[in-house]
Amino acid sequence: MENTRMYADPAARVPSPGPLTTDQPAPTDATQTDVTPAGGTRRLLWHLGEMALAMVAGMLLLGPLFEMGGAALGATDTLARPEVAALVMATTMTVGMTVWMRYRAHHWRGVGEMAAAMYVPFLLLFVPYWTGLLDADGLLLGGHLLMVPAMVLVAVRHRHESAAVIRRHPAVVALARRWPTGLALLVTADMWLAPGVLSPWTMLVLPGGYLLIGLIRRTLRGPGVLATQLAGLAVWGTLTLVAVVVGGRSAEWLVALGWLAHAGWDLAHHRSGRVVPRGYTEFCGVLDAILAAVMILAILSTPA
């Protein structure tokens, strides 16, 4: 998969809607994406990184659905068994990975082999687990450790394949452009099922992320940029200390409003394009707004 070409998604270049085609070579005039890193090793690492994120997204989104389904069917104890939990985890990762690989125009045979890389490591360890050579933690840890080289082998095996021809509906393209928003929704899925208020100390992450990214990207050198970020650190640092000192319901409101205020901070930086990438501000803004809303809901629904 290393040299697989990826389609760019400008609206003007989206083919007419239709079902996925068979795995035929891509047209020679297909436009390559401008975000795929150049170089074989970097491209391979980029692809594996995308797979890892897609697998995590699948677990975050589908994991709670399996739990709710198991509770509704009275199968909670069955899902808690290590073998079943391992297969459920492999399934959620495979679904997320499959969706992303097909969007990236990988052939079904490569998708199938990557799916096998999710399941086979766990299946190989079932016998040692059943015979008592491995405990439950060893089964899950060993499966994940074996999964990494298996994924790399599949990626290297398909590195020279051309892209599959895939017809994308304009709505799919539009949603893909909003991937930071989608990622934020996935990350916060658990919070909607179990609303609660975060620790006051989490507010230190809000300005800290901007300072760290700005330092790495060297975008803090403009006039007033560093001073603005340090002012933000002072504001949210003060909110954190006050919330820790006062405690109780007042602290909960300070935390919720602090996260909500940072969503406005993200919006301002998204419009200016300074310090951090716009994808980060979109993700952070949606994340902050959702967490603030969930915390406010938790406060209002809990007796004082």
Side-chain angles (χ1 to χ4, degrees):
M1 296 182 185
E2 179 184 347
N3 292 328
T4 299
R5 293 186 296 175
M6 311 297 184
Y7 285 103
D9 288 330
R13 297 180 182 270
V14 177
S16 58
L20 295 179
T21 63
T22 56
D23 295 339
Q24 298 298 323
T28 56
D29 60 346
T31 304
Q32 295 186 4
T33 181
D34 56 358
V35 298
T36 304
T41 301
R42 290 182 61 194
R43 183 172 299 164
L44 175 63
L45 294 175
W46 183 274
H47 169 59
L48 291 172
E50 287 184 339
M51 293 303 96
L53 290 175
M55 290 155 55
V56 171
M59 288 191 292
L60 290 173
L61 179 63
L62 299 178
L65 296 181
F66 271 98
E67 293 178 5
M68 290 188 294
L73 298 174
T76 302
D77 293 339
T78 301
L79 290 177
R81 293 177 53 186
E83 311 99 306
V84 178
L87 293 177
V88 168
M89 186 179 301
T91 300
T92 58
M93 291 188 295
T94 298
V95 171
M97 176 270 301
T98 298
V99 171
W100 187 249
M101 286 187 70
R102 286 302 291 175
Y103 180 79
R104 281 300 206 180
H106 291 281
H107 292 271
W108 278 115
R109 56 180 174 270
V111 174
E113 292 180 18
M114 194 65 80
M118 305 294 104
Y119 286 99
V120 172
F122 289 118
L123 295 175
L124 290 176
L125 297 179
F126 278 178
V127 173
Y129 171 72
W130 289 331
T131 57
L133 297 177
L134 284 177
D135 58 11
D137 293 336
L139 170 64
L140 295 177
L141 178 61
H144 282 91
L145 291 178
L146 292 175
M147 192 181 297
V148 175
M151 290 175 61
V152 173
L153 287 175
V154 174
V156 171
R157 166 176 155 75
H158 294 276
R159 65 189 182 277
H160 296 306
E161 284 188 353
S162 59
V165 176
I166 296 179
R167 298 175 184 270
R168 301 192 186 105
H169 193 280
V172 175
V173 176
L175 289 174
R177 290 175 178 170
R178 297 274 69 84
W179 67 265
T181 296
L183 182 60
L185 293 173
L186 290 174
V187 170
T188 56
D190 285 345
M191 288 289 291
W192 287 107
L193 300 175
V197 180
L198 298 176
S199 167
W201 296 107
T202 59
M203 287 193 290
L204 294 179
V205 176
L206 303 176
Y210 275 75
L211 283 168
L212 179 61
I213 295 175
L215 181 64
I216 294 174
R217 299 181 74 229
R218 300 180 181 180
T219 53
L220 299 174
R221 300 177 179 180
V225 175
L226 179 59
T228 301
Q229 299 306 314
L230 291 177
L233 178 62
V235 169
W236 275 282
T238 302
L239 280 175
T240 299
L241 295 177
V242 172
V244 170
V245 171
V246 300
R249 182 54 58 94
S250 298
E252 293 177 348
W253 277 110
L254 284 174
V255 174
L257 295 177
W259 279 80
L260 184 60
H262 199 265
W265 181 271
D266 296 323
L267 177 60
H269 282 78
H270 184 75
R271 302 181 75 171
S272 68
R274 303 176 72 182
V275 183
V276 296
R278 281 193 167 91
Y280 177 85
T281 56
E282 179 181 339
F283 166 78
C284 193
V286 175
L287 179 74
D288 294 348
I290 292 177
L291 291 180
V294 171
M295 286 188 278
I296 292 174
L297 178 63
I299 295 171
L300 294 176
S301 60
T302 303

